[in-house]
Amino acid sequence: MNILSGKKVLLGITGGIAAYKTTYLTRLLVKAGVSVKVVMTPSAKDFVTPLTLSTLSKNPVLSTFTNEDDDNDMWNNHVDLGLWADLMIIAPCTANTMSKMVNGTVDNLLLAVYTSAKCPVYFAPAMDLDMYKHPSTTQNFEKLASYGNFMIPAGDGELASGLSGKGRMAEPEEIVSFIEQQLLKEQPLRGKKCLITAGPTHESIDPVRFIGNHSTGKMGMALATDLANRGVLVTLIMGPSSVKTDNVLIERINVISAQEMYEAVHANINNQDYAIFSAAVADYKPAIPAHQKIKKSSETLTLELVKNPDILASVGAMESHPFLVGFALETENEMEHAFAKAKKKNTDLLILNSMNDNGAGFGIDTNKITIIDNQGNAQEFPVKSKTLVAKDIVDEIVKRTS
Ligand code: PMT
């Protein structure tokens, strides 16, 4: 699958003759599975029509801060656009726009989006050869690179002026290939495999009741998403959860009980590079679930419970196993219990979260973790969104395994 597939790309088009090539660039991106939104400077519209680009991108093309055609005068929110994108491409990028990008001039929507964007920005300069060689242009290339932007160098050849030399915008195929190569370099985990358990398990008491817990699967899904965004093929074994999966690199296997989770883990554990156990698995289950709904005939009811298999420990005991990350959810003597679990279950890393910490644990969108390694080192993190907690955990895995 193409590394660009599923990405959200803002294509910024400025006013140069090479703007005509962006129709083909848009097509290439869409064909690669990219969602494209186009933002044009007013002068770009002299070179290529918004209608062509909106037809190809299947999205409205924006060029002004407000929608002139819209009766409600809707504001085109440059901040939202900047946050929406996984990456921004400015092609062609004229000398004029480059100079404004360097100096923070914001006199059109494209520049407002550029200055708001949090994603990587690629720019493909296009201009006549003498403009390209001008010291101010060279300086602007360097300044834009120093701001963290990626320059896609112009090529040599015939220019619109009739002269020949450097300044032709890179061809659409070259732009796509440049970005693909850059993304591949940034994904040391690409092509690796990770198994994740997530969510609660439900242990049947009778056909209508179960023993369960408050896990929602949010922590596990955040891990699965972070890994998939880095190109990892994820097998997500999920207990009953309403959290949705929409990443093509995540294969989800839904299970209900701890026994089902155990079987799904062992059917899929071979050939995994990493395994992360974030599920809150019920330690016990009713010894004999009733076949019919239990009637409330007596004042008390005693259930006999038997132990469920410890899934993480069973993988830790395998002769050869993937890099193993466990979780520990504690309510008291957190460090002591977590160190004991790490040892007993043979984890490479153990993620401790405590119900005593505000912003940590079940259901909520944040967590507070301590990462414990198999040498007994502990690293504490502040409260963060589960998305950022997942990133910290995956960064630690990358550090330890590459
Ligand atoms: O799903 P959320 O609402 O986002 O909440 C996230 C979470 C709080 C559930 C998560 O961050 C977390 O702490 N998961 C582990 C919860 C837990 O059951 O911890 P534990 O200390 O009981 O278990 C220790 C480890 O052994 C865990 O990795 C667990 O998945 C694993 N285990 C436990 C029992 C069992 N029978 N089999 C297991 O594999």
Side-chain angles (χ1 to χ4, degrees):
M1 197 185 51
N2 191 296
I3 193 166
L4 277 166
S5 176
K7 294 249 181 286
K8 291 176 275 187
V9 171
L10 267 177
L11 175 59
I13 306 177
T14 72
I17 181 64
Y20 82 90
K21 293 186 190 173
T22 57
T23 53
Y24 188 47
L25 177 58
T26 305
R27 246 185 82 61
L28 283 181
L29 291 168
V30 170
K31 255 175 97 176
V34 171
S35 296
V36 182
K37 285 189 183 175
V38 176
V39 181
M40 303 173 83
T41 61
S43 59
K45 293 199 274 186
D46 294 335
F47 296 93
V48 60
T49 72
L51 179 62
T52 309
L53 290 157
S54 66
T55 308
L56 291 170
S57 67
K58 302 183 181 73
N59 271 315
V61 170
L62 308 172
S63 64
T64 50
F65 285 96
T66 53
N67 257 335
E68 297 131 345
D69 301 339
D70 193 329
D71 288 344
N72 299 324
D73 238 8
M74 280 283 289
W75 181 45
N76 290 324
N77 189 330
H78 55 278
V79 179
D80 282 353
L81 280 168
L83 291 176
W84 170 83
D86 296 315
L87 60 97
M88 181 173 189
I89 309 170
I90 304 180
C93 191
T94 58
N96 179 42
T97 292
M98 265 193 341
S99 157
K100 290 177 182 175
M101 286 162 71
V102 164
N103 292 303
T105 306
V106 179
D107 63 0
N108 60 43
L109 181 66
L110 190 153
L111 288 159
V113 173
Y114 162 71
T115 42
S116 316
K118 288 212 164 39
C119 59
V121 177
Y122 293 78
F123 66 102
M127 62 200 75
D128 212 53
L129 76 164
D130 291 316
M131 289 171 82
Y132 200 85
K133 279 193 294 206
H134 196 277
S136 64
T137 308
T138 312
Q139 214 175 48
N140 286 343
F141 289 156
E142 282 164 14
K143 282 211 176 131
L144 286 179
S146 76
Y147 298 166
N149 301 301
F150 297 97
M151 172 165 148
I152 307 174
D156 271 302
E158 198 181 321
L159 300 163
S161 61
L163 298 171
S164 191
K166 205 169 177 75
R168 278 172 69 91
M169 185 180 86
E171 295 302 325
E173 289 90 346
E174 289 166 345
I175 293 177
V176 171
S177 159
F178 183 100
I179 296 168
E180 284 171 349
Q181 293 309 315
Q182 184 58 36
L183 293 178
L184 281 169
K185 262 193 265 166
E186 289 167 5
Q187 290 202 337
L189 298 186
R190 189 167 173 75
K192 300 271 187 204
K193 290 178 163 188
C194 182
L195 178 146
I196 299 177
T197 68
T201 64
H202 288 178
E203 312 298 329
S204 282
I205 297 171
D206 67 19
V208 298
R209 304 180 181 97
F210 59 82
I211 295 173
N213 60 65
H214 299 291
S215 172
T216 54
K218 284 182 184 177
M219 190 64 248
M221 184 56 81
L223 284 157
T225 305
D226 188 277
L227 284 156
N229 287 341
R230 301 187 199 211
V232 174
L233 293 166
V234 177
T235 303
L236 177 64
I237 300 171
M238 180 70 107
S241 160
S242 57
V243 173
K244 300 266 178 298
T245 321
D246 65 358
N247 191 308
V248 286
L249 291 184
I250 304 175
E251 185 206 355
R252 177 167 173 165
I253 299 172
N254 290 320
V255 295
I256 294 175
S257 65
Q259 183 61 35
E260 282 177 27
M261 189 174 274
Y262 175 90
E263 283 162 21
V265 165
H266 282 278
N268 288 280
I269 196 72
N270 289 334
N271 304 321
Q272 300 288 341
D273 297 288
Y274 323 103
I276 307 178
F277 290 77
S278 65
V281 185
D283 288 322
Y284 292 90
K285 65 178 176 184
I288 306 170
H291 289 300
Q292 304 300 334
K293 187 178 174 190
I294 298 172
K295 298 289 172 206
K296 53 170 193 257
S297 44
S298 56
E299 281 310 304
T300 61
L301 175 70
T302 304
L303 287 175
E304 188 192 351
L305 302 180
V306 291
K307 250 190 178 165
N308 266 323
D310 189 318
I311 311 167
L312 171 58
S314 71
V315 174
M318 285 165 63
E319 206 171 301
S320 139
H321 57 72
F323 186 87
L324 204 55
V325 182
F327 269 72
L329 179 63
E330 303 297 343
T331 57
E332 53 167 352
N333 300 330
E334 288 88 344
M335 286 301 242
E336 192 188 323
H337 287 145
F339 276 111
K341 265 181 199 166
K343 199 156 176 226
K344 189 169 156 214
K345 304 197 186 205
N346 197 21
T347 53
D348 294 295
L349 295 177
L350 189 94
I351 315 301
L352 163 65
N353 43 188
S354 168
M355 292 302 286
N356 292 322
D357 286 328
N358 284 333
F362 289 128
I364 47 178
D365 291 328
T366 56
N367 206 354
K368 181 175 185 314
I369 60 162
T370 301
I371 300 183
I372 295 168
D373 70 12
N374 54 9
Q375 305 297 307
N377 303 305
Q379 194 186 350
E380 211 178 311
F381 291 78
V383 175
K384 295 185 182 185
S385 68
K386 282 186 175 161
T387 303
L388 290 178
V389 169
K391 184 179 174 311
D392 287 338
I393 295 169
V394 177
D395 283 347
E396 196 61 33
I397 295 173
V398 174
K399 211 163 83 186
R400 305 270 174 162
T401 56
S402 43

